[in-house]
Amino acid sequence: MISEFPLFVFTLLGGTAAGAYIFAWAFPAGEGKKNWLLPCASLVLLAIGGVALLMHLGHPERMFYAFSNPNAGITREGLTTGLFGILVLVDLICALRSGKPMPKALGIVAAIAGALLLLAMGSAYMQFHGIPAWDNWTSMLMFVVGGLSAGILVLPLFDSDIAKNSTFAICAAIMNALFACTA
């Protein structure tokens, strides 16, 4: 029997990184901050989650078979994780070279890639027609809202001033209330 724990690790860590990037675009860090910290931590989360995704199959080499089927949920998750990871790596390189916050265009593209990752996670579970609890729109809602909720909670770890922003606090309260309702 294949353990589902690696999928939990992947969706938790990947969803947290994606959610944090979506809100990092909406609430960018200021000048003089450690702008390399969020992309570095996100890459670590994506790497651990990506390894967990491989471990879900029991044998990592089975991922080659999974990638031959574009309709497989694990394929969509793997491709969107790779796309998002590349954009996060570009952001890390830009942050290390300039020390400035991510450029607006890169922030928007990274936020879109993060949203695609959350959607891929939700759609991977919606395709399991044999499990009624997963085979409906609430699965998508759970993964998207869960990733956004986790992401907004970790964002103040990378920029403590963001917690003083009342708009951010309202968004965090709304996201967590939505997550509580969704759960």
Side-chain angles (χ1 to χ4, degrees):
M1 176 179 249
I2 297 174
S3 169
E4 303 306 324
F5 182 72
L7 289 179
F8 167 75
V9 172
F10 167 70
T11 55
L12 177 66
L13 299 181
T16 300
Y21 254 82
I22 290 169
F23 283 106
W25 166 75
F27 299 99
E31 292 284 333
K33 299 288 181 184
K34 295 180 181 177
N35 295 309
W36 56 269
L37 199 53
L38 175 61
C40 185
S42 295
L43 281 174
V44 170
L45 293 177
L46 287 173
I48 295 169
V51 169
L53 187 63
L54 290 173
M55 294 297 113
H56 163 67
L57 296 175
H59 295 277
E61 68 275 6
R62 290 182 182 158
M63 190 59 129
F64 295 115
Y65 296 119
F67 273 114
S68 67
N69 179 5
N71 288 331
I74 201 165
T75 302
R76 289 190 304 270
E77 290 173 330
L79 292 174
T80 53
T81 299
L83 171 67
F84 181 58
I86 289 168
L87 292 169
V88 171
L89 180 62
V90 169
D91 182 27
L92 177 63
I93 292 168
C94 290
L96 289 173
R97 294 186 94 188
S98 70
K100 296 180 181 175
M102 72 174 106
K104 277 261 195 237
L106 178 59
I108 291 170
V109 174
I112 291 170
L116 288 175
L117 176 57
L118 294 175
L119 291 170
M121 289 175 181
S123 71
Y125 284 85
M126 283 180 59
Q127 75 185 29
F128 288 106
H129 304 298
I131 303 173
W134 294 352
D135 184 21
N136 59 60
W137 62 272
T138 58
S139 290
M140 182 68 74
L141 190 62
M142 184 67 159
F143 281 94
V144 173
V145 173
L148 291 172
S149 179
I152 202 165
L153 288 176
V154 301
L155 203 53
L157 297 174
F158 305 106
D159 181 10
S160 59
D161 291 338
I162 200 169
K164 299 172 188 169
N165 183 329
S166 61
T167 306
F168 175 81
I170 291 168
C171 285
I174 290 170
M175 283 312 309
N176 288 295
L178 282 173
F179 180 69
C181 292
T182 303

